[in-house]
Amino acid sequence: MSDIDYLYSQGDRLEERNTYFYSQYHGAAFFPAWRASRQTALAQLPPAQPVPLAVAAERDEHPADTAALLANLLHTTPEAPERRLAKRLLQRFEVSKRLHRRYDMNFKAVADSGYDDLDLYLQFAALCLHQAEQPGALPFLNGLLKVVDSLISIHPRLSPPQGAQLAWLITAEQDWVARVAAQANVELAP
């Protein structure tokens, strides 16, 4: 167990959003706390199943429908020109810690479209993983950590298939963090 509490995945993080601003620095003690939060969640989730890829949709002139945008981005190669749209969606999530069903031409959330479609968060996390091997992917790891925090915080609302997808995402997130740590010669304390 850890000497610190990992509060980022506690509470309802879709309603009581994390800001991550001015987070206290815990050094190496942070990793066991983060890992413990993930292990606690995994113990409550069904066996892991990958997030299924949605069927790609016809493209609009602008990325208004988030589900269609995510489906299209997950069906393109991560280095495709559409990566700029993935970066825009990541930026919108980083600002609000929410994914709305629709965005306007300027990537502003259409407020009455709602932000409670949990499949969007699972697909967005899969998109972050889709970018993992690209140069400059660390912002997507950052987004993945935050969306997984949000999903863990509301895991009782997930259906069994969604819970299994979250379990898969947690495992993939841990693998990515371990790869980054190994590349940086940082030992993750058990």
Side-chain angles (χ1 to χ4, degrees):
M1 205 60 195
S2 172
D3 294 335
I4 64 168
D5 289 327
Y6 187 88
L7 302 175
Y8 303 107
S9 59
Q10 297 176 19
D12 181 339
R13 292 304 179 187
L14 290 185
E15 296 304 322
E16 301 163 11
R17 296 171 284 173
N18 283 318
T19 65
Y20 298 91
F21 292 134
Y22 305 111
S23 295
Q24 185 177 358
Y25 176 72
H26 295 287
F30 177 82
F31 291 111
W34 165 76
R35 186 175 290 125
S37 86
R38 286 358 191 207
Q39 295 308 315
T40 299
L42 284 172
Q44 299 171 24
L45 294 170
Q49 292 291 319
V51 175
L53 289 180
V55 176
E58 288 200 29
R59 298 227 20 188
D60 288 339
E61 285 299 310
H62 58 89
D65 181 76
T66 307
L69 173 62
L70 285 164
N72 288 332
L73 290 170
L74 284 164
H75 282 280
T76 62
T77 59
E79 70 276 1
E82 289 86 354
R83 187 168 195 239
R84 67 180 173 74
L85 296 175
K87 288 179 178 179
R88 292 287 308 270
L89 189 58
L90 173 65
Q91 187 269 338
R92 295 313 317 154
F93 176 76
E94 286 285 4
V95 168
S96 69
K97 307 304 179 285
R98 291 179 175 158
L99 294 166
H100 287 263
R101 285 183 178 89
R102 299 186 63 77
Y103 291 89
D104 68 17
M105 292 174 67
N106 298 314
F107 259 94
K108 299 242 190 257
V110 176
D112 64 354
S113 69
Y115 56 84
D116 59 347
D117 183 345
L118 302 180
D119 284 325
L120 293 179
Y121 295 87
L122 294 163
Q123 292 288 315
F124 176 72
L127 175 65
C128 290
L129 285 170
H130 188 59
Q131 299 292 324
E133 300 305 320
Q134 294 305 304
L138 284 181
F140 286 98
L141 175 57
N142 190 40
L144 178 63
L145 291 163
K146 292 173 182 174
V147 74
V148 168
D149 282 343
S150 294
L151 287 166
I152 289 173
S153 79
I154 51 103
H155 80 271
R157 297 192 338 224
L158 298 174
S159 68
Q162 290 172 326
Q165 293 166 32
L166 175 56
W168 180 80
L169 290 165
I170 290 170
T171 302
E173 173 200 57
Q174 290 176 328
D175 291 345
W176 192 357
V177 168
R179 287 192 312 272
V180 170
Q183 291 169 353
N185 288 329
V186 172
E187 186 175 322
L188 298 180

